[in-house]
Amino acid sequence: MKLIILIHCPDQPGIIHSTTGFIANIGGNVVYLDQHVDKQAEVFFMRLECEFQKELDLSIFKDNFAQIASQYTMQWNVYTDTEKPKMALFVSKYNHCLYDLLSRYQSGELWVDIPFILSNHSVLEYIGKQFQIPYYHIPVTKETKEEAEIEQLRYLMEHKVDFIVLARYMQIVSAKIIDQFPNRIINIHHSFLPAFAGAKPYHAAFNRGVKIIGATSHYVTEELDAGPIIEQDVATVSHTHSVKDFIAKGRDLEKIVLARAVKLHLTRKTMVYNNKTVVFS
Amino acid sequence: MKLIILIHCPDQPGIIHSTTGFIANIGGNVVYLDQHVDKQAEVFFMRLECEFQKELDLSIFKDNFAQIASQYTMQWNVYTDTEKPKMALFVSKYNHCLYDLLSRYQSGELWVDIPFILSNHSVLEYIGKQFQIPYYHIPVTKETKEEAEIEQLRYLMEHKVDFIVLARYMQIVSAKIIDQFPNRIINIHHSFLPAFAGAKPYHAAFNRGVKIIGATSHYVTEELDAGPIIEQDVATVSHTHSVKDFIAKGRDLEKIVLARAVKLHLTRKTMVYNNKTVVFS
Amino acid sequence: MKLIILIHCPDQPGIIHSTTGFIANIGGNVVYLDQHVDKQAEVFFMRLECEFQKELDLSIFKDNFAQIASQYTMQWNVYTDTEKPKMALFVSKYNHCLYDLLSRYQSGELWVDIPFILSNHSVLEYIGKQFQIPYYHIPVTKETKEEAEIEQLRYLMEHKVDFIVLARYMQIVSAKIIDQFPNRIINIHHSFLPAFAGAKPYHAAFNRGVKIIGATSHYVTEELDAGPIIEQDVATVSHTHSVKDFIAKGRDLEKIVLARAVKLHLTRKTMVYNNKTVVFS
Amino acid sequence: MKLIILIHCPDQPGIIHSTTGFIANIGGNVVYLDQHVDKQAEVFFMRLECEFQKELDLSIFKDNFAQIASQYTMQWNVYTDTEKPKMALFVSKYNHCLYDLLSRYQSGELWVDIPFILSNHSVLEYIGKQFQIPYYHIPVTKETKEEAEIEQLRYLMEHKVDFIVLARYMQIVSAKIIDQFPNRIINIHHSFLPAFAGAKPYHAAFNRGVKIIGATSHYVTEELDAGPIIEQDVATVSHTHSVKDFIAKGRDLEKIVLARAVKLHLTRKTMVYNNKTVVFS
């Protein structure tokens, strides 16, 4: 049995020694340990994987670990390799990120369950059918937005969704949903943030005459396109490229960057602090 | 003898045919031709290199070419491979871009003359001595800025400088100088523009938690950090990097990106239109 | 109506002038022209797009163009924007390249027909069904290889296939097929060629301790993994990555690089000469 | 006072716990810990930085640490932040890497002493003068090679050189020197190894028609260009680039990649095992 433990706490001597000692005492073997100290904020971060020969009673583990944790004022989480996370996919009309995630899912590349795809449009319903995943069509207008989000939340709760991926979902998600999924909604924005936040970033990039375009995956917060960045990548462009070419090049960036962010989240390699991420290797 | 001709004009049929016909008629051989049509602006751009067995009288060439040019309402320039351009280097206290350009110059990598280095500080004077290039120290304060720029202009005119490179010159250049050197002042900004324009971009990038930093070389216009972009490049960073690490990584980006922009300018591969560049390959 | 013309011939003065003159005379407007001179081989390459207000009789165009062509000893091809090319997909057991190409096809990103998918295994048949494309399963063993290739050729001829994409087809294609499709079979090799040609390149890269892995798309020739390279890309790796991680990272490279090569081929941007490609922008 | 400890040993439980316990007991605070397990070789690697309020007697520290070390069969090294390493630079005729390293040195970017530059040619002697660093000219011919290496070794010993950087030194270094500096000679090879090992890699890359070129920094072993890779980077090229362009682009890669490798070595971030490197972040 394997556990992944994520910890952050005020920086102080002895944290690694105490934590690894606790693991050793209960018969665990640390197979991965990475730590980081944010010297400005004086915060210590650690990600630790440990293996146990026998099954552990997780609630007993948690009770015992809580004692060390309180000694160091830790914020912490523990994850097992037996509970498969549940990921909801929100889309609008673009299919490239959706196809990309679903083909990875079907290949077994992502250790995850996908209880449903949710969209404000019906145009991608055929992809749900191709992959035999329920597709919920919830139209959103200014007038119906609140109501629509209540319905969305109902589905999210009913299916016990762990996190949401906005795979080019062209709607702004409101606090009602964000508050239920803090640092658990992953968006892909089609620019190299913080450049070109908001609508039509490829058009803005084209007009500015940039030589490189980008894509950014981040956790969603209430401020638009301003949440903690998980992953970014770029591609070169030139004067020979039209806005349409930017968009075509960008599609490849978007799907790869989003997939990387989803994998980092799934493997518990991300921690959020001060609106920034620690991304363990 | 070799000529490089840069042209832009309203897009219309026959431009290439007429121009290459003109070259052929006077005994030239086109060895390079690249063209671009900005479909939005309906503007045609062309860069053409042609070789002649005998020496040409450039003023006669220009008179004759002017006839075709007027037929197509061309804006055009012609350059020979016999006049070496003169480049002035403006620096403040950072030496990495200066060292990089001077070592390229000394190796013969840049076909250019460097009549002087100019700085608002004296700290890099030793580098001028190392490379035996005059170093003019003109301090700049709020009060003396106007006066200082007059002195700068005097040096620029006296040495018949063709273009200026701001090799991490930490002062804002005013219209007085820009107007004399339109699209002939090259700056290196230490961010991936338009993100983090202005002061302290590495600090801003660090605070935003980006995963990629960049550098941008552009022609200087009156609006700060908003001129036509010539070249950009990026490097990955992570939570493990401090602001100091960003700065160190950034130095390598800055010097390479600036050197590429200088080379493109020197080889007449850039054209400016609508605050954007066409950069021929 | 739009034509794309690809030309190569011995380098000599006047080619551009004559060709653009011919186009102008028959009422065409050159909307794109890119040329390249291989100075070592003294060969001239040109790609030209031209638009005509009226429909052209293509056979008359060809007859007339042949006269200029013979004058300059041109090898040339002309393509219209009305005949959609036919692309056959060959796969084995990996689905990432197949999914990627099919989702691009379904989105209209690739202007192509896909008459069939062909495989030596049946495992990906379900994807053919998902996308409603015929899937031909032709098992290949040492003994049956010749026979299998005859059957493959039959399908290729029957469907008038223009070019073949080996989307991680783990078999060596023999001269029997290559000869019928010279520079019209596109392979994706999972290394940065010429490093790690042949089998198990990720294992070899891991054992060598490289810090960057790559993928290479090339036209297939009789010598294994030695054909003209169309497109390459790379990704960074470190000591923390296992062979399995190399393979996972590589999948993303492979599908993106292959898709780019397919697009370049489809838009007639590639020319082959001396086992190298000219790839127009 | 700060110590950097590098350890590798057979993988087994308790290493981190014991080591951090030892540090804590003698009043140290771990400010950085990164570890890696090579699962194939079953070897554990760790890099640890710790700070002490008071000065430590290093020989007592070593005696005490040796006890833990022997318990886990560790290979280990400890470095202080008070002994500045001594780096010898070997060059031939190219100046770009030399200029780059010296300008970093002069800026204080590299915490190192450079007792001398050594070359088989005299052409770069002026750079030694520019930077006031002794320049030893030791010509090398087939006949004098053995003798020349004896002289080189004499300089290396006399100046107590810690490691050697071959900054485009175009000679093969023989075992006589390598044996004295195991994993302490850093070379820059102008290709993306293992592609194009040996002489004239840019010519080979050009002939193969690659779309990406690279540079590789590695520790020198007796087998040419086959030592443990420290750092690699790449740049895109196209059919428009001549061999000369490859060389010019390559120069920028070479100097940046070599500088990164030198910095990693200087900050004790590299460990060598099985002809591969672990490079800590």
Side-chain angles (χ1 to χ4, degrees):
Chain A
M1 188 189 190
K2 192 177 183 175
L3 295 185
I4 296 173
I5 308 172
L6 294 180
I7 292 166
H8 71 85
C9 62
D11 190 28
Q12 57 205 291
I15 309 169
I16 299 174
H17 185 60
S18 299
T19 311
T20 54
F22 172 81
I23 304 291
N25 280 341
I26 59 170
N29 186 22
V30 173
V31 292
Y32 170 100
L33 184 156
D34 199 359
Q35 56 89 46
H36 168 64
V37 177
D38 181 329
K39 280 173 188 168
Q40 213 175 320
E42 297 189 337
V43 176
F44 173 92
F45 299 85
M46 185 161 62
R47 182 179 182 281
L48 199 139
E49 293 182 14
C50 46
E51 287 176 350
F52 295 87
Q53 300 280 355
K54 321 180 203 156
E55 282 302 288
L56 272 187
D57 182 325
L58 197 63
S59 62
I60 293 176
F61 175 91
K62 284 181 177 176
D63 285 352
N64 291 334
F65 191 77
Q67 295 175 24
I68 286 186
S70 78
Q71 188 184 334
Y72 292 96
T73 336
M74 291 178 182
Q75 304 281 321
W76 61 284
N77 277 296
V78 60
Y79 303 95
T80 68
D81 60 352
T82 49
E83 295 164 288
K84 198 183 275 192
K86 287 185 197 341
M87 166 174 82
L89 295 174
F90 282 33
V91 295
S92 286
K93 290 179 167 179
Y94 296 114
N95 67 17
H96 53 287
C97 288
L98 181 60
Y99 260 132
D100 190 65
L101 287 172
L102 291 181
S103 61
R104 290 170 195 273
Y105 162 72
Q106 183 128 26
S107 320
E109 191 180 318
L110 305 176
W111 193 70
V112 73
D113 280 330
I114 304 179
F116 61 84
I117 300 161
L118 189 153
S119 179
N120 55 330
H121 294 286
S122 61
V123 288
L124 301 183
E125 191 156 14
Y126 73 97
I127 300 180
K129 281 193 185 127
Q130 279 184 329
F131 289 85
Q132 296 177 311
I133 293 174
Y135 184 96
Y136 303 141
H137 174 209
I138 306 179
V140 178
T141 64
K142 260 188 201 167
E143 292 72 32
T144 64
K145 176 146 191 171
E146 210 181 322
E147 203 180 329
E149 292 207 325
I150 291 169
E151 201 181 343
Q152 290 174 0
L153 267 178
R154 201 166 44 73
Y155 280 121
L156 292 165
M157 296 307 154
E158 190 183 307
H159 289 278
K160 293 183 177 143
V161 162
D162 291 299
F163 70 107
I164 302 167
V165 173
L166 309 181
R168 296 300 311 277
Y169 178 63
M170 308 299 282
Q171 296 285 319
I172 293 173
V173 173
S174 76
K176 194 194 300 296
I177 291 182
I178 297 171
D179 290 349
Q180 299 296 314
F181 292 88
N183 299 323
R184 291 191 285 131
I185 305 176
I186 299 173
N187 186 39
I188 178 72
H189 183 72
H190 39 316
S191 86
F192 185 80
L193 288 176
F196 311 122
K200 296 212 172 261
Y202 292 127
H203 290 77
F206 179 82
N207 290 332
R208 178 62 186 91
V210 296
K211 301 302 183 188
I212 292 179
I213 55 169
T216 304
S217 191
H218 63 94
Y219 288 116
V220 174
T221 57
E222 281 198 53
E223 193 182 339
L224 184 65
D225 297 330
I229 293 171
I230 306 169
E231 176 76 9
Q232 299 188 290
D233 208 347
V234 296
T236 55
V237 290
S238 78
H239 65 275
T240 64
H241 294 98
S242 62
V243 173
K244 224 176 129 185
D245 296 328
F246 278 36
I247 291 169
K249 277 211 156 198
R251 273 196 296 261
D252 285 4
L253 279 177
E254 293 160 26
K255 72 186 189 188
I256 297 295
V257 168
L258 178 59
R260 282 191 210 142
V262 167
K263 277 199 218 176
L264 289 168
H265 184 86
L266 274 175
T267 50
R268 320 297 185 181
K269 296 207 162 170
T270 61
M271 294 185 75
V272 172
Y273 190 81
N274 271 355
N275 204 44
K276 294 164 71 167
T277 58
V278 170
V279 177
F280 293 106
S281 65
Chain B
M1 187 188 192
K2 194 176 181 176
L3 295 184
I4 297 173
I5 308 170
L6 295 179
I7 292 165
H8 71 86
C9 62
D11 189 28
Q12 56 205 292
I15 308 169
I16 299 175
H17 185 59
S18 299
T19 310
T20 54
F22 172 81
I23 304 292
N25 280 340
I26 59 170
N29 186 21
V30 173
V31 293
Y32 170 99
L33 185 156
D34 200 358
Q35 56 89 46
H36 168 65
V37 177
D38 181 328
K39 280 173 188 167
Q40 213 175 320
E42 296 190 338
V43 176
F44 174 92
F45 299 86
M46 184 159 64
R47 183 180 182 280
L48 198 139
E49 294 182 13
C50 45
E51 286 176 351
F52 296 87
Q53 301 280 355
K54 320 177 204 161
E55 282 302 287
L56 271 188
D57 182 324
L58 198 63
S59 63
I60 294 178
F61 176 90
K62 283 182 180 176
D63 285 352
N64 290 334
F65 192 77
Q67 294 175 25
I68 286 186
S70 78
Q71 189 183 334
Y72 292 98
T73 335
M74 290 179 182
Q75 305 281 321
W76 61 283
N77 277 296
V78 60
Y79 304 95
T80 68
D81 59 352
T82 50
E83 295 163 288
K84 200 183 273 192
K86 289 185 195 340
M87 167 175 81
L89 294 175
F90 281 34
V91 296
S92 286
K93 292 180 167 175
Y94 297 113
N95 67 16
H96 54 287
C97 288
L98 180 61
Y99 260 132
D100 189 65
L101 287 172
L102 291 180
S103 62
R104 291 170 195 271
Y105 162 72
Q106 182 127 27
S107 322
E109 191 180 318
L110 304 176
W111 192 70
V112 74
D113 281 330
I114 304 179
F116 62 84
I117 299 160
L118 190 155
S119 180
N120 55 330
H121 294 285
S122 61
V123 290
L124 301 184
E125 192 156 11
Y126 73 96
I127 300 180
K129 280 193 186 127
Q130 280 184 329
F131 289 84
Q132 296 177 310
I133 293 174
Y135 184 96
Y136 302 141
H137 174 209
I138 306 179
V140 179
T141 63
K142 260 188 202 168
E143 292 71 32
T144 65
K145 176 146 190 169
E146 211 179 322
E147 203 180 328
E149 292 206 325
I150 290 169
E151 202 180 343
Q152 291 173 359
L153 267 178
R154 200 167 44 73
Y155 281 120
L156 292 166
M157 295 308 154
E158 189 182 308
H159 290 277
K160 294 184 179 143
V161 161
D162 290 301
F163 70 106
I164 303 166
V165 173
L166 309 181
R168 297 300 310 276
Y169 179 62
M170 308 299 282
Q171 295 285 318
I172 292 174
V173 174
S174 78
K176 194 192 301 294
I177 292 183
I178 297 171
D179 290 349
Q180 300 296 316
F181 292 89
N183 298 324
R184 292 191 284 133
I185 306 175
I186 299 174
N187 185 40
I188 178 71
H189 184 73
H190 40 315
S191 85
F192 184 81
L193 288 176
F196 311 122
K200 297 215 170 257
Y202 292 127
H203 290 77
F206 179 82
N207 290 333
R208 178 61 186 91
V210 296
K211 301 303 184 188
I212 292 179
I213 56 170
T216 304
S217 191
H218 62 94
Y219 288 116
V220 173
T221 56
E222 282 199 52
E223 193 182 339
L224 184 67
D225 298 330
I229 294 171
I230 305 168
E231 176 75 11
Q232 300 189 289
D233 208 347
V234 296
T236 54
V237 290
S238 77
H239 65 276
T240 64
H241 295 98
S242 63
V243 173
K244 223 175 130 187
D245 296 328
F246 278 35
I247 291 170
K249 278 211 156 200
R251 273 195 297 260
D252 285 4
L253 279 178
E254 291 161 27
K255 71 188 190 189
I256 297 294
V257 168
L258 179 59
R260 281 190 211 144
V262 168
K263 278 198 218 177
L264 289 169
H265 184 85
L266 275 175
T267 50
R268 320 297 185 180
K269 295 208 163 171
T270 61
M271 294 184 76
V272 173
Y273 190 81
N274 270 355
N275 204 45
K276 295 165 69 166
T277 59
V278 169
V279 178
F280 292 106
S281 65
Chain C
M1 188 189 190
K2 193 178 184 175
L3 295 185
I4 297 173
I5 308 171
L6 294 180
I7 293 166
H8 70 86
C9 62
D11 190 27
Q12 57 205 293
I15 308 169
I16 299 175
H17 185 59
S18 299
T19 310
T20 55
F22 172 81
I23 304 291
N25 280 339
I26 58 170
N29 186 22
V30 172
V31 292
Y32 169 101
L33 184 156
D34 200 358
Q35 55 88 46
H36 168 65
V37 177
D38 181 328
K39 281 172 189 170
Q40 213 175 318
E42 298 190 336
V43 176
F44 173 91
F45 298 87
M46 184 160 63
R47 183 180 182 279
L48 200 140
E49 294 182 13
C50 46
E51 287 176 351
F52 296 87
Q53 300 280 354
K54 319 178 204 159
E55 282 303 288
L56 273 187
D57 182 325
L58 198 62
S59 62
I60 294 177
F61 175 91
K62 284 181 178 177
D63 285 352
N64 292 333
F65 191 77
Q67 295 175 24
I68 287 186
S70 78
Q71 189 183 333
Y72 292 96
T73 335
M74 290 177 182
Q75 304 281 321
W76 60 285
N77 276 297
V78 60
Y79 304 95
T80 68
D81 60 351
T82 50
E83 295 162 288
K84 197 183 275 192
K86 289 187 195 338
M87 167 174 82
L89 294 174
F90 281 33
V91 295
S92 286
K93 291 179 166 176
Y94 296 114
N95 66 17
H96 54 287
C97 288
L98 181 60
Y99 260 133
D100 190 65
L101 287 172
L102 292 180
S103 62
R104 290 171 196 272
Y105 162 72
Q106 182 128 26
S107 319
E109 192 180 318
L110 305 176
W111 193 70
V112 74
D113 279 330
I114 304 179
F116 60 84
I117 300 160
L118 189 154
S119 179
N120 55 330
H121 294 285
S122 61
V123 290
L124 301 184
E125 191 156 13
Y126 73 97
I127 301 181
K129 281 194 185 126
Q130 279 185 328
F131 289 84
Q132 296 177 311
I133 292 174
Y135 184 96
Y136 301 142
H137 174 210
I138 305 179
V140 179
T141 63
K142 261 188 201 167
E143 292 71 32
T144 64
K145 177 145 190 170
E146 210 180 323
E147 201 179 331
E149 292 207 325
I150 291 170
E151 200 179 346
Q152 291 173 0
L153 267 178
R154 201 165 47 73
Y155 281 121
L156 293 166
M157 295 307 155
E158 188 182 309
H159 289 278
K160 294 182 177 145
V161 162
D162 291 300
F163 70 108
I164 302 167
V165 173
L166 309 181
R168 297 298 310 276
Y169 178 63
M170 308 299 282
Q171 297 284 318
I172 292 174
V173 173
S174 77
K176 194 194 301 293
I177 292 182
I178 298 172
D179 289 349
Q180 300 296 315
F181 292 89
N183 299 323
R184 291 192 285 131
I185 306 176
I186 299 173
N187 185 40
I188 178 72
H189 183 73
H190 38 317
S191 85
F192 185 79
L193 287 176
F196 312 122
K200 296 215 173 256
Y202 291 127
H203 290 76
F206 179 82
N207 291 333
R208 180 62 187 90
V210 297
K211 301 302 185 189
I212 292 179
I213 55 169
T216 304
S217 190
H218 63 94
Y219 287 116
V220 174
T221 56
E222 281 198 52
E223 193 182 339
L224 185 66
D225 297 331
I229 294 172
I230 306 168
E231 175 76 10
Q232 299 189 290
D233 208 348
V234 297
T236 55
V237 290
S238 77
H239 66 275
T240 64
H241 294 98
S242 63
V243 174
K244 222 175 131 186
D245 296 328
F246 278 35
I247 292 170
K249 277 212 158 199
R251 273 195 297 260
D252 284 5
L253 280 178
E254 292 160 27
K255 72 187 190 189
I256 297 294
V257 168
L258 179 58
R260 282 190 208 143
V262 168
K263 278 197 217 177
L264 289 169
H265 183 87
L266 274 175
T267 51
R268 321 295 186 182
K269 296 207 163 172
T270 62
M271 292 184 75
V272 172
Y273 189 80
N274 271 354
N275 204 44
K276 294 165 70 167
T277 58
V278 170
V279 177
F280 293 107
S281 64
Chain D
M1 187 186 194
K2 193 177 182 175
L3 295 184
I4 297 173
I5 308 170
L6 294 180
I7 293 165
H8 71 87
C9 62
D11 190 29
Q12 56 204 293
I15 308 170
I16 299 175
H17 185 59
S18 299
T19 310
T20 54
F22 172 81
I23 303 292
N25 281 339
I26 59 171
N29 185 22
V30 173
V31 293
Y32 169 99
L33 184 156
D34 199 359
Q35 56 88 46
H36 168 64
V37 177
D38 181 329
K39 281 173 188 169
Q40 215 175 316
E42 296 190 338
V43 176
F44 173 92
F45 299 86
M46 184 159 64
R47 183 181 182 279
L48 198 140
E49 293 181 13
C50 46
E51 286 177 351
F52 296 87
Q53 301 280 356
K54 319 180 202 159
E55 283 302 290
L56 272 188
D57 182 324
L58 198 62
S59 62
I60 294 177
F61 175 91
K62 284 181 177 176
D63 284 353
N64 291 334
F65 191 78
Q67 294 176 25
I68 286 186
S70 77
Q71 188 182 335
Y72 291 96
T73 335
M74 289 177 184
Q75 305 282 320
W76 60 284
N77 277 296
V78 60
Y79 304 95
T80 68
D81 60 351
T82 51
E83 294 163 288
K84 199 184 274 192
K86 289 187 198 333
M87 166 174 81
L89 295 175
F90 282 33
V91 295
S92 287
K93 292 180 166 177
Y94 297 114
N95 67 16
H96 54 287
C97 288
L98 180 60
Y99 260 133
D100 190 66
L101 288 172
L102 291 181
S103 62
R104 290 171 196 271
Y105 162 71
Q106 182 127 26
S107 320
E109 192 180 316
L110 304 177
W111 193 70
V112 75
D113 281 330
I114 303 179
F116 61 86
I117 300 161
L118 190 153
S119 180
N120 54 331
H121 294 285
S122 61
V123 290
L124 301 184
E125 191 156 12
Y126 73 96
I127 300 180
K129 282 195 184 122
Q130 279 185 329
F131 288 85
Q132 297 177 310
I133 293 174
Y135 185 95
Y136 302 141
H137 174 209
I138 305 179
V140 179
T141 63
K142 260 188 203 168
E143 293 70 31
T144 64
K145 177 147 189 168
E146 211 180 321
E147 202 180 330
E149 292 206 327
I150 291 169
E151 201 180 345
Q152 291 173 0
L153 266 178
R154 200 167 43 74
Y155 281 121
L156 292 166
M157 295 307 155
E158 190 181 307
H159 290 278
K160 293 183 179 145
V161 162
D162 290 300
F163 69 107
I164 302 167
V165 173
L166 309 181
R168 295 302 310 275
Y169 178 62
M170 308 299 282
Q171 296 285 318
I172 292 174
V173 174
S174 77
K176 195 193 300 295
I177 292 183
I178 298 171
D179 290 349
Q180 299 297 315
F181 293 88
N183 299 324
R184 289 190 287 132
I185 306 175
I186 299 173
N187 185 40
I188 178 72
H189 183 73
H190 39 315
S191 85
F192 185 81
L193 287 175
F196 312 123
K200 296 215 172 259
Y202 292 127
H203 291 76
F206 179 81
N207 290 333
R208 179 61 187 93
V210 296
K211 301 302 184 190
I212 292 178
I213 55 169
T216 304
S217 191
H218 63 94
Y219 287 115
V220 173
T221 56
E222 282 198 52
E223 194 182 340
L224 184 66
D225 298 330
I229 294 172
I230 306 168
E231 177 75 10
Q232 301 188 289
D233 208 348
V234 296
T236 54
V237 290
S238 77
H239 66 275
T240 64
H241 295 97
S242 62
V243 173
K244 222 175 130 186
D245 296 328
F246 278 36
I247 291 170
K249 277 212 157 199
R251 274 196 296 262
D252 285 4
L253 278 179
E254 292 160 27
K255 72 188 190 188
I256 297 294
V257 168
L258 179 58
R260 281 190 210 142
V262 168
K263 278 199 218 177
L264 289 169
H265 184 86
L266 274 175
T267 50
R268 321 295 186 183
K269 296 208 162 171
T270 61
M271 294 184 76
V272 172
Y273 190 81
N274 270 354
N275 205 44
K276 295 164 70 167
T277 58
V278 170
V279 177
F280 292 107
S281 65

